[in-house]
């Protein structure tokens, strides 16, 4: 991948108004963390050479990569979870929760400019999408209606909702996704879940498998967050896999509008 610079999002600094794009933007064109640059999308860590655009939180969006001085998109042809996991780890997250191609309708909106990558084929262990097999930079047979998007995860996801801001709570532990029991689960717990997902907070707790019953592990029971934790794993609970629940007790949440900018997600967090 080309050496990173610090361009404006559209190549024209005059078009960007840092005061209007994100509260994380501070003086001039810089964010508080000097790795982050304030562009038309908000605060972006250009040093990674990849960003997500158009999502409802900092953890989801259209995949764009920086090459040869320009941002460009990635085609959804053959794009799978191995590829998505590499993208999300490159961005500093634990893994990917979901790929969002929607029948040739770019789920997070169609990009513009170059389509840099097509037929991406990662094995899954690569550190950068640029290290994966692909057709070659700029070689493709796609239109921007095929721009791929991903939803990244810090070891937590919402499943079964009508949007990315609601669903059954699932956490990733010991190589497997599993659910969370609704015993004792309250708004303090939900707020931690939603902030961990990049939202501003929680609007509602939905007990009793309201978003459908999960399968496999029930990882957490009797969750007891104070409300200030950055991850559900830091809250009190019965222990991983220790519970007296069934999947009809899987808890769900509805997160509130507003983006909580996770400017430095940790690639080492288990959840």
């Amino acid at each position: 991948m080309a050496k990173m610079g610090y361009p404006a999002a559209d190549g024209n600094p005059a078009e960007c108004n840092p005061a209007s794009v994100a509260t994380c933007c501070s003086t001039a064109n810089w964010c508080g963390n000097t790795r982050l640059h304030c562009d038309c999308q908000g605060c972006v860590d250009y040093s990674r050479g990849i960003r997500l655009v158009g999502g409802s939180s900092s953890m989801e969006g259209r995949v764009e990569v920086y090459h040869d001085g320009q941002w460009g998109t990635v085609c959804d042809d053959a794009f799978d979870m191995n590829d998505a996991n590499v993208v999300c780890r490159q961005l500093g997250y634990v893994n990917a929760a979901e790929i969002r191609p929607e029948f040739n309708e770019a789920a997070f909106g169609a990009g513009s400019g170059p389509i840099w990558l097509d037929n991406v084929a990662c094995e899954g262990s690569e550190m950068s999408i640029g290290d994966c097999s692909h057709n070659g930079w700029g070689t493709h047979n796609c239109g921007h209606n095929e721009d791929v998007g991903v939803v990244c995860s810090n070891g937590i996801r919402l499943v079964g909702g009508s949007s990315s801001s609601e669903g059954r709570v699932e956490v990733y532990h010991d190589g497997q996704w599993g659910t969370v029991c609704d015993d004792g689960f309250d708004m303090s717990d939900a707020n931690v879940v939603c902030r961990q997902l990049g939202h501003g907070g929680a609007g509602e707790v939905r007990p009793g498998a309201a978003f459908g019953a999960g399968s496999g592990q029930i990882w957490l029971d009797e969750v007891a967050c104070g409300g200030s934790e950055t991850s559900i794993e830091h809250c009190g609970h019965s222990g991983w896999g220790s519970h007296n629940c069934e999947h009809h007790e899987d808890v769900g949440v509805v997160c509130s509008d507003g983006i909580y900018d996770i400017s430095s997600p940790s690639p080492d967090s288990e959840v």
Side-chain angles (χ1 to χ4, degrees), residues 16 24 26 33 108 122 129 136 211-213 240 244:
C16 285
C24 66
S26 56
N33 181 335
F108 294 103
C122 302
I129 193 174
F211 294 102
W240 290 102
N244 61 352

Side-chain angles (χ1 to χ4, degrees), residues 212-255:
S215 59
Q217 294 284 350
I218 298 174
W219 276 133
L220 296 177
D221 187 18
E222 300 292 348
V223 175
C225 302
S228 61
E229 297 87 350
T230 57
S231 167
I232 194 173
E233 75 164 353
H234 299 148
C235 302
H237 54 79
S238 298
W240 290 102
S242 297
H243 65 85
N244 61 352
C245 304
E246 302 292 339
H247 280 297
H248 64 85
E249 299 171 81
D250 289 342
V251 77
V253 299
V254 179
C255 296

Side-chain angles (χ1 to χ4, degrees), residues 178-200:
T179 62
V180 177
C181 185
D182 61 13
D183 291 350
F185 198 96
D186 62 17
M187 284 297 291
S188 292
D189 310 321
N191 278 321
V192 171
V193 166
C194 290
R195 288 198 305 271
Q196 187 177 351
L197 285 161
H199 297 284

Side-chain angles (χ1 to χ4, degrees), residues 91-128:
L91 284 160
Y93 297 106
V94 172
N95 54 14
E98 192 178 347
I99 300 169
R100 290 279 185 88
E102 294 187 352
F103 308 107
N104 290 334
E105 294 293 335
F108 294 103
S112 59
I115 298 174
W116 277 134
L117 297 176
D118 187 18
N119 286 315
V120 175
C122 302
E123 294 180 1
S125 61
E126 297 88 349
M127 299 298 294
S128 163

